[in-house]
Amino acid sequence: MKKFRKVLDGLTTSSPVNVGSAPVCSSTAGTPTAAVTPREIEVQETLVSENFQICKTVRHGFPYQPTALAFDPVQKILAIGSRSGGVRILGRPGVDCFCQHESGAAVLQLQFLINEGALVTACADDTLHLWNLRQKRPAILHSLKFNRERITFCHLPFQSKWLYVGTERGNTHIVNIESFVLSGYVIMWNKAIELSTKTHPGPVVHLSDSPKDEGRLLIGFESGTVVQWDLRVKKADFRIYYDEAIHSVSWHHEGKQFMCSHSDGSLTTWNLRNTSKPFQVTFPHGKAQRDGKKPESCKPILKVEYKTTRNSSEPFVIFSGGLSYDKASRRPTLTIMHGKSITVLEMDHPIVDFLVLCETPYPNEVQEPYAVAVLLEKDFILVDLTQSSFPIFENPYPMDIHESPVTCTAYFADCPPDIIPVLYSIGAKHKKQGYSHKEWPVSGGTWTLGAQTYPEIIITGHADGSIKFWDATAITLQMLYKLKTSKVFEKPKAGEGRGAEMVEEDPYAVQMVSWCPQSRLFCVVGISAHVILYRLSKHDATTEIVSLEVRLQCDVEDVLSPCEAESTPGLSDQSSHSPQQAPASPGSVTPEGLRDSIPCLKVKNRPVRMPPGYQAELVVQLLWVDGEPPQQITSVDINSAYGLLALGNCNGLAVVDYLQKSILLCMSTLELYGSSDPYQRLTRSPRKNRQFTQDNFCMRGLSNFYSDSKKRIRTSYQSLTELSDNQVPLELERSRSPTSVPYPTSLHNDPRSFPEPVANLKASHYSPVFHLLDNVRGPDRKLSLPTDLKTDLDHVNGHCTSPTSQPCVAGKPRVPGPEGPRLSRRGPGRPPFRKAQSAACMEISLPVSHTEESRENSFSRSRSSSVSSIDRETKEAVTTLRFMESCARKADTAPAPSLWVGTSLGVVLVIGLSIPADEEERLDEPVAVAPSGTVLMLKGSVLTFGSLDCGGSLIPSPYEVWRDPHAPEDPDRPRKRKLVNFSPSSSQEVAGDGHLAVVCSERQAKVFLMPAQTCLFVHNITESSFVLRSDVVSVCNSVCLACFCANGHVMTLSLPSLRPLLDVNYLPLTDMRIARTFCFTNGGQALYLSTPTEIQRITYSQEMCDNLQEFLGELFTPVETPEAQNRGFLKGFFGGNAQTFDREELFGEAAAGKASRSLAQHIPGPGGMEGMKAAAGGVVGDLARARIALDERGQRLGELEERTALMMSSAEAFSKHAHELMLKCKDKKWYQF
């Protein structure tokens, strides 16, 4: 039972001297402070630390930087290895598992133990791993580390427990899969080749046993040498020396010939009867010479597959590469040769690997291929070989998340149940056609929908302006609907003046989204300083898109002067707050050649036909002002019950009435304070057309100021300018906030309004960006101003977290150096932005020294408190907005519509809204918007707002029930707006108690009692780092505050007492991709973009961690291995001894001895008995070990039963054949034989 005290209205305003007195609550986290005449209110908090545990749930998307591919033809599951050491195992939809090697070494090769529920991975650190797939979370059973040789190729024969391992030195080792130890049997390279050979054959690039005889191993060396090694007699049967390097080898199923692919684009076929020369040499894509000479060389054929079919005498020959060099511009290709027909399939991305899926797992049977699995660098496709047109299968996995780079994400749990079917039915009409009609071949595993499921939707925004809605229910992911925001604008024509100068590659990139699932209103913020409002409709419509243009600027210099704050009296109240509407003219150019009142993009001004789905209704665009491009929008919120849209940036705030299509408010942040401004500001002369000089330059965010220390900006999207060679060391502490401003203690903790300026604001109030500036001096300094980083560094997570974002310095001029012109503001001819940076591709590193070993992907900020030589001047950005029912003023007795505004200086402003209640009046009468004068203070940039009643329950924002705007009119039932309001008075018995306002900044969280504006609880979240994302979420039928910090910590705090419940160091190395895409949602879930192509979902709920096994799919299902084809009695009697080959006699310790201990080291895995013995102890460990031993015993008994049944069937077959032979020969005489 948690108790807190409520101060009655009016008691805190008894005397104006309280402004500078002791704060209401101290800086001690979570310490309530008594006030005058308190009355106790009890809140039952049910959440405890045992309710929280963080773990990964599932990963969606395409594996980033794939390297290897494998397929189990019996279990029908697929595995993809990646360069970072990850392994994705895929089966039927819902069966999707991600495994990670702790070493992080790249996966070189994958080998399934077919139908055994195990997988062998060979990594770049020369380690083999055996994974157990008979559990929902695969684990490593054994590892084998090679110490003296590098692994280059592995081969595991079907139904064999011996793994062949080829190395870079040309040797071939043999590993026992059961014990994962090396055999003493080794095929040395100098034994495999002839003694007369003077050169090393190179690394082993291929290993395979002969389909005809398992006792013969085919070894392919890189140099072009192929050796067939007889394992029994330990010598070579034959050796082939070819003058072109070999890339791959493939057998014919009869074992009489094989095919090789070479580096010159040729395919050679070799017959075992004559190995002196190739049976056939072909250049599939080479041009034949007229004089009969060898065709021109082509690009290497990296892999070839040689497969046979029953219905045709012509085999399938499938290979990648081999194009002629004169077609360098052509895309990567996969060629399918079947008889005389040659089909070339062009791919969108380079081919990493491919596999031919066949009906039988036996290599000595007719293969009967039915599909080709092609792993590309950024995609995965399956080609249907059973149809002559070779169509591709429709991929059921979400492999196209990165179709355009992801720039923002949003996650919504417990959505209305009818929204997913609506979006799916609309999106199904726009699906691509031409897919194969057959089912997806990768159909292994089992998955069932869990009992405790609720609708979940993930929204991703992309660099090309597209929006994708995904069904994320029950840890699956399926695309529902795709929206293209670029269709709202006119396409810039080549040569068009404004389009050519102002629009670059990604002008439509999505910066953030705001979605109301109940009203289905959707708001998109673009990088070109525009906001698009969409409504959902099931009917198509032809309407004209309304465009509003906002001239958001600062006519008063919104700067802070701490030097004069101690002596200068407060500013007078601003006399006018009229919205700065755009002029009537569509755009103009001043006599000085500067753009003015021109938007970045042109909205279509004609009626537009819109298909069913989300249809654009309104576009709000910020305009150029006096040659300056509009600053990017940093926050947005929409409320369907109020009919209002609010947006803010570093210049100020704008409020739009989207029902009346009008601008209600357009103010700078300073004007929002009025007489309640807690800071001392500097005024300046009226705005003039500015000259772009070396002393007046536009600071477009912290990322534009580089110290002369080595600051590298890495991005896969675009390379940026680095600093000069003349470098000066600069101490930058990791994980410092861009808004790290050391306020005085009393200023932080006094939540009341400030009718007068704070007198004790010291000169330590500064931004770290100026410390960086002071270190950039001297004649050799070079500064670059890449606007590309504006979005990714200053607007972390869709909010401007830096108070220095895009300010314009107008203080004391500095003495310019010789390089002064390099610091000039962007001229009128420069575009407002460059190529939009993908949040997925962005990585930022701020090293603190000259060494290359500096930590990457870290947030570094200056921590120095010294005063630099230039004025400490900052502009205040609007970082977060929230419409809610609240008491805007202390005198308010009942909650009313209001807009809460958070700024980058840690200030919370409340704006009162007066909205007509009648529906007809709402469409005609104007909405009154006025700042209330309420000012609340926190440390750091404000990130999140929340509202609770005095019982501790969450108060959702009011909304309008969805109605189709283009549905046919019903005369009997006129259409009316139906509003749902969750006011505090309706959620508690005593309306006079008010409500609780939860405010979280990047350093601090506070709970205020409204309307008294009393700070009840405060918690300092972090001192060494800063919060990137925070949300008030519902967990376990209660409410908490979830935070994600830049140092990788995930935290939860109870509400309203702000007790720490969870603090886990989850992501130690945080980069900008994760910072921009991390988001929480209800139900204890969160997600982030773990790689540029993959979404990682996590849970911080103990309940979901416990029930996770119910949601996950089974990778292994008991399936009988298909029987081998009956070879016939005579063919089996005379057709060789492949079935009688016993590898145990050759490779076992009794025959081959032990391998050298220094050659490889066996490492027991955590999933095996050895790992269990080492990790567990006591009764629990004994029970676990007994359970594993029982499972292993049951498995051995099952194998013994299978072998017994096989022996019985073989005995019956032999008895049957013997009886038939006896009957046939019974009556014959001796001379008839």
Side-chain angles (χ1 to χ4, degrees):
M1 185 72 67
K2 293 295 178 181
K3 298 181 180 180
F4 62 86
R5 302 179 182 276
K6 168 185 175 295
V7 181
L8 298 179
D9 294 349
L11 294 179
T12 57
T13 58
S14 59
S15 174
V17 299
N18 289 338
V19 172
S21 62
V24 174
C25 54
S26 65
S27 60
T28 304
T31 305
T33 305
V36 183
T37 315
R39 183 164 64 88
E40 293 186 357
I41 296 178
E42 298 180 353
V43 174
Q44 180 72 37
E45 292 188 359
T46 59
L47 290 179
V48 293
S49 59
E50 286 75 16
N51 294 125
F52 296 93
Q53 178 185 351
I54 191 166
C55 68
K56 296 180 180 179
T57 55
V58 68
R59 180 173 293 205
H60 303 295
F62 179 76
Y64 184 56
Q65 294 180 335
T67 55
L69 181 67
F71 181 71
D72 188 327
V74 179
Q75 288 289 320
K76 295 191 181 300
I77 56 176
L78 186 93
I80 300 175
S82 67
R83 190 176 300 176
S84 60
V87 178
R88 284 282 293 280
I89 305 173
L90 303 170
R92 66 175 67 249
V95 180
D96 188 341
C97 181
F98 173 76
C99 312
Q100 176 67 44
H101 293 92
E102 292 184 0
S103 64
V107 178
L108 299 180
Q109 197 173 353
L110 300 167
Q111 286 279 326
F112 274 107
L113 276 68
I114 297 176
N115 204 26
E116 295 290 339
L119 175 70
V120 176
T121 58
C123 296
D125 59 351
D126 306 309
T127 305
L128 298 174
H129 304 276
L130 178 64
W131 293 82
N132 179 18
L133 306 184
R134 298 196 177 207
Q135 55 193 50
K136 293 187 176 182
R137 291 283 192 180
I140 294 178
L141 296 174
H142 303 279
S143 296
L144 187 65
K145 169 72 174 177
F146 280 74
N147 297 323
R148 295 184 297 182
E149 297 195 50
R150 306 296 306 272
I151 299 174
T152 57
F153 194 88
C154 297
H155 170 64
L156 180 64
F158 178 49
Q159 294 181 329
S160 170
K161 68 175 184 179
W162 299 96
L163 175 73
Y164 301 110
V165 181
T167 66
E168 192 176 31
R169 293 185 179 181
N171 302 326
T172 301
H173 300 274
I174 302 172
V175 178
N176 188 316
I177 292 298
E178 294 180 351
S179 60
F180 232 61
V181 296
L182 274 179
S183 167
Y185 193 113
V186 182
I187 304 174
M188 305 299 291
W189 67 271
N190 54 353
K191 301 289 185 179
I193 63 173
E194 293 181 345
L195 297 177
S196 59
T197 305
K198 297 181 181 180
T199 58
H200 191 279
V204 175
V205 296
H206 177 80
L207 291 169
S208 63
D209 49 349
S210 170
K212 186 179 179 180
D213 185 0
E214 295 178 350
R216 288 176 166 80
L217 183 68
L218 194 69
I219 307 173
F221 297 93
E222 188 181 54
S223 62
T225 301
V226 179
V227 177
Q228 180 168 288
W229 184 264
D230 191 327
L231 296 171
R232 301 180 187 85
V233 298
K234 299 182 181 180
K235 69 175 184 179
D237 288 338
F238 61 83
R239 299 178 178 89
I240 295 174
Y241 298 96
Y242 196 68
D243 54 359
E244 293 293 341
I246 291 178
H247 286 280
S248 69
V249 181
S250 182
W251 278 99
H252 188 279
H253 81 276
E254 293 181 350
K256 297 178 180 179
Q257 59 184 15
F258 59 88
M259 184 177 292
C260 302
S261 66
H262 300 277
S263 58
D264 62 346
S266 65
L267 296 173
T268 58
T269 306
W270 301 82
N271 197 314
L272 298 189
R273 294 180 179 179
N274 182 12
T275 57
S276 59
K277 63 178 181 178
F279 172 73
Q280 186 181 19
V281 179
T282 58
F283 286 81
H285 297 296
K287 293 182 179 180
Q289 302 294 332
R290 295 180 180 178
D291 53 0
K293 293 183 179 179
K294 180 181 177 182
E296 294 180 356
S297 295
C298 299
K299 297 178 182 179
I301 296 178
L302 301 179
K303 186 174 183 179
V304 64
E305 291 277 6
Y306 189 21
K307 302 299 180 182
T308 54
T309 60
R310 294 189 183 92
N311 299 330
S312 175
S313 59
E314 299 292 342
F316 275 97
V317 178
I318 304 171
F319 61 89
S320 61
L323 291 181
S324 59
Y325 282 101
D326 60 348
K327 298 178 182 178
S329 61
R330 291 185 60 176
R331 294 184 293 181
T333 61
L334 181 76
T335 304
I336 302 175
M337 299 173 58
H338 185 54
K340 295 182 179 180
S341 65
I342 299 179
T343 304
V344 179
L345 305 178
E346 290 190 345
M347 303 295 169
D348 293 331
H349 309 285
I351 298 175
V352 176
D353 196 4
F354 74 90
L355 290 175
V356 179
L357 310 188
C358 301
E359 296 287 353
T360 177
Y362 295 94
N364 58 349
E365 296 180 356
V366 178
Q367 298 298 289
E368 205 64 39
Y370 60 90
V372 182
V374 187
L375 179 62
L376 309 177
E377 276 191 0
K378 296 183 179 180
D379 202 359
F380 175 73
I381 63 173
L382 270 174
V383 181
D384 188 354
L385 292 180
T386 61
Q387 301 182 40
S388 58
S389 59
F390 301 126
I392 65 173
F393 291 88
E394 185 177 4
N395 198 329
Y397 314 126
M399 293 286 190
D400 56 346
I401 293 176
H402 62 289
E403 183 179 13
S404 176
V406 178
T407 54
C408 73
T409 58
Y411 193 7
F412 300 88
D414 206 4
C415 300
D418 59 336
I419 185 67
I420 290 180
V422 171
L423 291 174
Y424 181 79
S425 61
I426 295 173
K429 299 176 182 178
H430 305 284
K431 282 192 174 182
K432 298 179 180 179
Q433 304 297 326
Y435 291 112
S436 173
H437 299 293
K438 294 190 175 183
E439 294 184 358
W440 182 254
V442 186
S443 57
T446 56
W447 178 77
T448 56
L449 190 65
Q452 300 176 349
T453 59
Y454 45 83
E456 301 175 66
I457 288 181
I458 295 173
I459 301 176
T460 56
H462 301 266
D464 63 352
S466 62
I467 305 285
K468 292 182 180 180
F469 290 78
W470 305 85
D471 179 9
T473 305
I475 72 169
T476 61
L477 196 68
Q478 181 181 8
M479 194 172 79
L480 296 172
Y481 173 69
K482 183 178 180 180
L483 173 67
K484 295 182 179 179
T485 62
S486 59
K487 292 185 176 180
V488 174
F489 303 99
E490 299 281 0
K491 292 183 179 180
K493 298 179 180 178
E496 190 180 73
R498 184 176 68 170
E501 295 179 1
M502 296 173 60
V503 178
E504 287 205 6
E505 295 175 65
D506 290 320
Y508 313 111
V510 179
Q511 197 169 351
M512 67 185 79
V513 296
S514 178
W515 187 48
C516 177
Q518 288 78 16
S519 64
R520 303 181 188 179
L521 278 179
F522 188 50
C523 198
V524 180
V525 178
I527 198 173
S528 301
H530 64 266
V531 180
I532 310 174
L533 175 64
Y534 289 91
R535 283 184 184 269
L536 182 65
S537 176
K538 298 180 181 179
H539 307 275
D540 58 356
T542 301
T543 57
E544 189 168 343
I545 304 172
V546 180
S547 177
L548 293 179
E549 296 178 347
V550 180
R551 187 181 175 92
L552 194 58
Q553 61 179 1
C554 298
D555 284 334
V556 179
E557 187 67 15
D558 185 5
V559 296
L560 184 69
S561 178
C563 299
E564 300 180 13
E566 301 179 75
S567 58
T568 307
L571 289 173
S572 61
D573 189 9
Q574 299 296 324
S575 59
S576 63
H577 301 296
S578 60
Q580 301 177 17
Q581 300 260 5
S585 60
S588 60
V589 179
T590 62
E592 291 82 3
L594 304 179
R595 294 188 184 87
D596 188 65
S597 303
I598 300 176
C600 296
L601 301 173
K602 183 179 179 181
V603 180
K604 293 180 179 178
N605 56 4
R606 63 184 185 277
V608 180
R609 183 188 177 278
M610 302 179 187
Y614 272 104
Q615 300 168 350
E617 178 180 308
L618 176 67
V619 178
V620 182
Q621 290 182 288
L622 303 186
L623 302 176
W624 284 64
V625 178
D626 296 339
E628 295 182 24
Q631 306 299 323
Q632 290 181 0
I633 297 169
T634 58
S635 57
V636 69
D637 192 31
I638 189 170
N639 189 279
S640 57
Y642 303 160
L644 300 181
L645 167 68
L647 58 97
N649 66 1
C650 67
N651 285 334
L653 171 70
V655 180
V656 176
D657 185 342
Y658 67 79
L659 295 178
Q660 299 184 16
K661 308 297 189 294
S662 61
I663 301 174
L664 302 177
L665 181 74
C666 184
M667 286 185 177
S668 68
T669 315
L670 171 61
E671 292 176 304
L672 296 176
Y673 285 100
S675 60
S676 302
D677 188 3
Y679 302 125
Q680 179 65 45
R681 316 277 176 165
L682 291 178
T683 60
R684 114 181 147 192
S685 58
R687 190 182 189 91
K688 298 180 180 179
N689 292 335
R690 303 175 185 174
Q691 299 297 326
F692 303 105
T693 63
Q694 59 194 17
D695 299 324
N696 185 15
F697 56 91
C698 182
M699 297 190 295
R700 298 187 60 84
L702 181 61
S703 61
N704 297 314
F705 291 94
Y706 294 72
S707 65
D708 282 335
S709 64
K710 187 177 182 182
K711 180 176 182 179
R712 296 172 297 159
I713 306 299
R714 298 194 305 121
T715 172
S716 61
Y717 219 75
Q718 181 182 12
S719 62
L720 303 176
T721 308
E722 291 190 358
L723 290 177
S724 63
D725 299 328
N726 205 10
Q727 302 181 4
V728 179
L730 175 63
E731 288 295 324
L732 297 176
E733 184 185 355
R734 184 175 182 265
S735 298
R736 293 293 295 175
S737 164
T739 60
S740 176
V741 181
Y743 296 97
T745 304
S746 61
L747 181 62
H748 281 309
N749 298 290
D750 195 342
R752 294 165 291 181
S753 304
F754 292 85
E756 296 181 6
V758 180
N760 60 350
L761 185 63
K762 303 300 181 182
S764 60
H765 185 143
Y766 78 105
S767 170
V769 67
F770 299 105
H771 183 74
L772 293 176
L773 277 175
D774 289 338
N775 288 275
V776 184
R777 298 178 180 175
D780 297 330
R781 70 169 183 234
K782 293 182 181 180
L783 293 179
S784 59
L785 302 176
T787 60
D788 311 65
L789 299 180
K790 178 157 65 68
T791 302
D792 291 274
L793 185 59
D794 287 334
H795 303 277
V796 174
N797 206 18
H799 300 285
C800 178
T801 58
S802 172
T804 60
S805 297
Q806 300 94 14
C808 296
V809 177
K812 299 178 183 180
R814 297 181 62 181
V815 179
E819 297 293 327
R822 293 181 180 269
L823 299 175
S824 62
R825 182 186 298 176
R826 179 173 52 228
R830 295 288 299 278
F833 46 84
R834 294 184 182 272
K835 190 169 189 177
Q837 287 296 326
S838 161
C841 301
M842 192 64 192
E843 293 181 355
I844 291 187
S845 171
L846 301 179
V848 298
S849 65
H850 298 290
T851 62
E852 290 291 336
E853 290 77 10
S854 303
R855 282 181 178 259
E856 297 183 354
N857 301 331
S858 63
F859 293 91
S860 301
R861 304 289 185 265
S862 171
R863 198 177 182 180
S864 172
S865 60
S866 62
V867 180
S868 65
S869 61
I870 67 175
D871 288 340
R872 303 303 182 190
E873 300 169 340
T874 60
K875 289 180 66 175
E876 192 170 5
V878 176
T879 56
T880 185
L881 297 166
R882 172 76 182 273
F883 287 104
M884 68 172 73
E885 295 282 325
S886 175
C887 300
R889 299 173 180 85
K890 291 184 178 181
D892 293 344
T893 58
S898 61
L899 173 63
W900 286 59
V901 181
T903 73
S904 56
L905 293 184
V907 178
V908 178
L909 305 169
V910 183
I911 298 176
L913 307 173
S914 179
I915 302 174
D918 185 73
E919 182 175 355
E920 295 182 358
E921 294 180 357
R922 176 65 185 86
L923 299 177
D924 299 330
E925 298 294 329
V927 176
V929 181
S932 64
T934 299
V935 179
L936 308 175
M937 301 293 299
L938 288 89
K939 294 180 182 179
S941 175
V942 181
L943 300 179
T944 306
F945 295 124
S947 180
L948 308 177
D949 62 22
C950 287
S953 300
L954 182 67
I955 305 176
S957 297
Y959 64 88
E960 175 189 1
V961 178
W962 175 75
R963 56 177 182 172
D964 197 325
H966 300 297
E969 294 286 347
D970 187 355
D972 298 333
R973 300 179 62 183
R975 302 176 61 185
K976 292 184 178 180
R977 300 181 68 209
K978 182 180 179 181
L979 306 182
V980 179
N981 194 350
F982 302 93
S983 62
S985 58
S986 63
S987 59
Q988 61 191 41
E989 296 179 358
V990 184
D993 286 341
H995 71 98
L996 305 177
V998 182
V999 186
C1000 182
S1001 72
E1002 59 183 14
R1003 292 189 179 279
Q1004 201 174 49
K1006 288 187 178 182
V1007 176
F1008 296 95
L1009 178 65
M1010 305 300 289
Q1013 301 176 16
T1014 306
C1015 179
L1016 299 177
F1017 296 96
V1018 60
H1019 178 76
N1020 294 321
I1021 300 175
T1022 177
E1023 293 293 340
S1024 60
S1025 182
F1026 59 98
V1027 179
L1028 288 171
R1029 183 65 187 251
S1030 63
D1031 286 290
V1032 178
V1033 295
S1034 299
V1035 180
C1036 299
N1037 299 319
S1038 189
V1039 185
C1040 71
L1041 178 66
C1043 303
F1044 172 61
C1045 295
N1047 58 8
H1049 283 247
V1050 176
M1051 307 177 184
T1052 58
L1053 306 174
S1054 67
L1055 289 177
S1057 64
L1058 297 178
R1059 290 180 297 108
L1061 299 174
L1062 175 72
D1063 187 354
V1064 177
N1065 188 9
Y1066 178 67
L1067 293 171
L1069 293 177
T1070 305
D1071 57 29
M1072 290 303 300
R1073 177 185 61 252
I1074 298 175
R1076 286 296 309 275
T1077 58
F1078 197 102
C1079 51
F1080 294 99
T1081 190
N1082 295 328
Q1085 297 194 73
L1087 65 81
Y1088 59 93
L1089 215 64
S1090 57
T1091 68
T1093 61
E1094 293 172 287
I1095 290 177
Q1096 178 68 58
R1097 292 166 66 179
I1098 64 174
T1099 181
Y1100 49 93
S1101 167
Q1102 178 68 54
E1103 182 182 1
M1104 187 165 184
C1105 288
D1106 295 338
N1107 299 329
L1108 185 59
Q1109 293 292 327
E1110 299 179 7
F1111 294 99
L1112 298 177
E1114 292 279 358
L1115 294 173
F1116 178 80
T1117 54
V1119 178
E1120 290 187 4
T1121 303
E1123 295 184 1
Q1125 294 179 1
N1126 189 1
R1127 306 175 63 190
F1129 177 76
L1130 293 179
K1131 190 172 183 180
F1133 193 77
F1134 298 105
N1137 54 357
Q1139 301 300 323
T1140 61
F1141 175 66
D1142 188 1
R1143 296 184 177 89
E1144 183 69 30
E1145 295 181 359
L1146 292 176
F1147 307 145
E1149 184 177 338
K1154 292 184 179 180
S1156 173
R1157 293 185 178 181
S1158 62
L1159 184 61
Q1161 177 187 359
H1162 176 255
I1163 305 171
M1169 284 292 295
E1170 295 84 353
M1172 181 65 69
K1173 291 176 183 178
V1179 177
V1180 177
D1182 293 338
L1183 289 175
R1185 286 194 295 270
R1187 184 178 302 170
I1188 289 183
L1190 186 62
D1191 292 341
E1192 292 181 353
R1193 182 174 179 273
Q1195 183 178 350
R1196 292 195 186 100
L1197 289 175
E1199 293 176 356
L1200 180 61
E1201 185 178 356
E1202 291 176 0
R1203 292 177 183 175
T1204 305
L1206 182 61
M1207 292 177 62
M1208 290 179 63
S1209 61
S1210 299
E1212 289 177 1
F1214 179 77
S1215 174
K1216 181 181 177 181
H1217 287 301
H1219 183 68
E1220 291 176 355
L1221 184 60
M1222 183 268 294
L1223 293 177
K1224 184 178 180 180
C1225 304
K1226 180 176 63 172
D1227 299 329
K1228 290 185 179 182
K1229 303 297 183 181
W1230 64 270
Y1231 53 82
Q1232 291 177 330
F1233 285 95

